[in-house]
């Protein structure tokens, strides 16, 4: 049981480049989330998927798109990276109807130059 | 929407002392308050949570207290140890309260350093 996995662990992009961050969970959870973490600002929700087939914007969705590929996988895409998107990105998942605990992955550290 | 403020931003204590971190929230309808611990290089992990029908919850050396009237909740760590050094986040629900905790708003975090 790997929990929540994220790839890649580190990435450096040039301004304007695109990339997709991958997230997968093997806990049969319904809900999945993408957060970004910046110093002094805590964790801010980018997008979430309450269940397979649905996605909704969070607090800071601009510049990002998501795809809930299936129940296990939830990807985050940066179409045209900007330096303001330099951050650590965390994926999380939660079982609806269970405890309210969100389980986090190990994070992806992204630098945009 | 919900707004969560967390204080202090950094906290240094001597090993064996107690540590207290406080959070305030804005939505009086919020009913679930978790605390997450993030160790260096890892994702956050839930350490304790409290629901609005109780005022205090304990789990060994950690406890959380809730004051719904004042809209604040606190994390208490007693007999601190070096392994308690980490970043701690509080959170409260955001959005549709029929799905408790489906979306969370996090505080800015507290860096706790336990000096041995």
């Amino acid at each position: 049981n790997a929990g929540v996995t994220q790839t890649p662990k580190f990435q450096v992009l040039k301004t304007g480049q695109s990339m997709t961050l991958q997230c997968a969970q093997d806990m049969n959870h319904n809900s999945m989330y993408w957060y970004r973490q910046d110093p002094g600002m805590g964790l801010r929700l980018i997008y979430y998927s309450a269940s397979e087939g649905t996605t909704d914007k969070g607090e800071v969705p601009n510049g990002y798109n998501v795809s809930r590929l299936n129940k296990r996988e939830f990807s985050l895409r940066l179409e045209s990276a900007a330096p303001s998107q330099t951050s650590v990105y965390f994926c999380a998942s939660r079982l609806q109807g269970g405890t309210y605990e969100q389980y986090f992955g190990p994070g992806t550290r992204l630098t945009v130059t | 929407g919900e707004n969560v403020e967390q204080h202090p931003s950094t906290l240094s204590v001597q090993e064996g002392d107690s540590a207290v971190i406080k959070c305030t929230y804005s939505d009086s309808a919020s009913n679930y308050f978790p605390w997450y611990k993030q160790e260096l290089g890892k994702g956050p992990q839930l350490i304790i949570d409290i629901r609005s029908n109780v005022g205090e919850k304990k789990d060994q050396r950690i406890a959380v207290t809730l004051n719904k009237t004042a809209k604040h909740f606190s994390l208490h760590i007693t007999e601190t140890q070096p392994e308690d050094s980490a970043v701690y986040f509080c959170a409260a629900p955001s959005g549709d309260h029929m799905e408790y905790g489906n979306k969370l708003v996090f505080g800015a975090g507290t860096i706790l350093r336990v000096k041995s």
Side-chain angles (χ1 to χ4, degrees), chain B:
Chain B
E2 179 67 277
N3 183 48
V4 176
E5 295 191 355
Q6 183 172 347
H7 300 279
S9 56
T10 61
L11 179 59
S12 290
V13 299
Q14 203 66 36
E15 182 178 358
D17 288 350
S18 295
V20 181
I21 303 170
K22 298 181 179 179
C23 287
T24 60
Y25 61 97
S26 60
D27 189 345
S28 57
S30 286
N31 52 19
Y32 170 69
F33 306 95
W35 285 91
Y36 284 79
K37 176 183 180 182
Q38 184 181 27
E39 296 177 345
L40 196 60
K42 297 184 178 180
Q45 186 171 13
L46 180 73
I47 55 171
I48 195 168
D49 57 17
I50 191 168
R51 300 185 193 182
S52 58
N53 57 345
V54 297
E56 184 176 8
K57 183 177 178 181
K58 288 184 180 179
D59 183 2
Q60 299 183 334
R61 294 186 299 106
I62 61 174
V64 56
T65 58
L66 172 64
N67 183 327
K68 282 189 67 68
T69 303
K71 291 190 284 188
H72 67 70
F73 57 110
S74 300
L75 178 70
H76 304 254
I77 306 174
T78 59
E79 300 173 18
T80 53
Q81 300 168 4
E83 52 264 37
D84 294 328
S85 295
V87 181
Y88 291 82
F89 294 98
C90 62
S94 171
D96 185 355
H97 291 287
M98 294 300 289
E99 296 179 336
Y100 306 136
N102 199 35
K103 285 196 299 179
L104 295 173
V105 173
F106 285 84
T110 297
I111 301 171
L112 175 63
R113 297 191 183 93
V114 180
K115 296 175 286 186
S116 56

Side-chain angles (χ1 to χ4, degrees), chain A residues 31 33 35 37 40-43 45 48 50 57 90 94 96 98-106, chain B residues 32 36 38 41-46 49 51 87 89 99-109:
Chain A
S31 301
Y33 310 82
Y35 293 91
Q37 182 178 20
M41 302 188 75
L43 295 151
L45 184 65
Y48 72 106
K57 295 178 180 178
F90 287 99
R94 170 180 169 255
Q96 281 195 18
T99 71
Y100 304 142
E101 180 174 0
Q102 292 188 17
Y103 293 79
F104 284 81
Chain B
Y32 170 69
Y36 284 79
Q38 184 181 27
K42 297 184 178 180
Q45 186 171 13
L46 180 73
D49 57 17
R51 300 185 193 182
V87 181
F89 294 98
E99 296 179 336
Y100 306 136
N102 199 35
K103 285 196 299 179
L104 295 173
V105 173
F106 285 84

